Amino acid sequence: MKRWPLNPKIPKKTASEKQIPEKAVFRRIPQNGEPGSFWEDRGDRYHCGVDLYASENTGVVSVEGGIVAETGLMTSPEILPYWNPTYYVLIEHDEGLFCKYGELAGFTVKKGDEIEPGSQIGRVGMVLNSAKIDNSCPLYIQRLKNKNPSMLHFEVWENEPISAHRNYLGGNWFAEEMPENLRDPARYLRSRGI
């Protein structure tokens, strides 16, 4: 059974409430051309995933069963000053597919863990620090100042996922030619009836 990657339940240690209202967890995938859509042209970069908007600290669960292939830092103010620290979990699923769950406030799994569909793997983070956004930032970042959308950044890779590459940074690709092994995560979610 496949699962939507956002779960309204929050781990008790991260929130005073036990649950985010169900209406705060949207089951909407951005369409082509919309902010947060796959391969969105951001002027100086292209978006490698889809952004699934949800309240900060919303639970993130595995779409399918698999093995945790990697975890790590995704964004940090040491990389770009307008970023908050966020993390990612990369899970290897069947058929050589890898799903990257990014811009997490934290994660609850480690490399090598076997994951069932719907297993809690982390929680939604807040990637942008509005206080650090100024005129030197890319235009699409400037437009997000004081909006602080929290989201799950979700990518799909085939066979060899990219986490470190000279053209890859924070879920974006800094070249016009798409990596051969990057897949459309919106198509992936829809094809699995999610």
Side-chain angles (χ1 to χ4, degrees):
M1 179 173 155
K2 313 300 187 248
R3 298 288 306 268
W4 180 251
L6 296 168
N7 183 345
K9 293 181 182 174
I10 301 177
K12 290 178 186 173
K13 64 183 176 183
T14 63
S16 57
E17 333 169 351
K18 292 187 175 154
Q19 200 167 23
I20 290 177
E22 193 71 43
K23 65 182 178 185
V25 177
F26 302 105
R27 289 183 179 243
R28 185 176 184 291
I29 302 167
Q31 301 299 308
N32 288 343
E34 292 181 343
S37 62
F38 177 64
W39 210 245
E40 171 193 5
D41 182 351
R42 293 179 165 179
D44 62 342
R45 64 195 83 184
Y46 292 86
H47 193 225
C48 290
V50 291
D51 291 335
L52 305 175
Y53 297 95
S55 299
E56 192 172 6
N57 289 319
T58 297
V60 175
V61 300
S62 179
V63 171
E64 299 185 57
I67 304 290
V68 176
E70 190 178 312
T71 61
L73 186 68
M74 186 156 183
T75 63
S76 166
E78 284 78 34
I79 300 169
L80 287 172
Y82 55 82
W83 276 348
N84 288 317
T86 66
Y87 306 90
Y88 71 88
V89 172
L90 184 67
I91 298 178
E92 182 176 3
H93 301 295
D94 291 335
E95 303 167 11
L97 290 178
F98 291 79
C99 290
K100 185 173 191 176
Y101 302 78
E103 298 180 2
L104 303 173
F107 54 91
T108 57
V109 295
K110 65 186 181 315
K111 184 176 179 176
D113 283 353
E114 192 168 331
I115 304 297
E116 297 295 324
S119 295
Q120 180 85 26
I121 58 172
R123 53 193 168 84
V124 170
M126 183 71 68
V127 69
L128 296 178
N129 179 346
S130 283
K132 301 285 184 172
I133 297 174
D134 59 25
N135 292 338
S136 69
C137 297
L139 188 56
Y140 88 94
I141 294 292
Q142 291 178 45
R143 288 184 196 127
L144 295 171
K145 185 176 176 77
N146 297 321
K147 292 184 180 172
N148 276 346
S150 51
M151 70 200 71
L152 168 65
H153 172 86
F154 186 74
E155 296 175 15
V156 177
W157 296 85
E158 188 172 0
N159 297 322
E160 293 184 37
I162 294 176
S163 292
H165 187 282
R166 62 186 168 88
N167 289 334
Y168 182 87
L169 183 63
N172 295 285
W173 192 256
F174 288 80
E176 287 188 28
E177 189 172 324
M178 184 185 309
E180 286 182 13
N181 54 333
L182 180 62
R183 299 294 173 255
D184 182 345
R187 185 175 297 147
Y188 166 84
L189 291 169
R190 285 199 269 321
S191 73
R192 278 147 175 82
I194 300 172

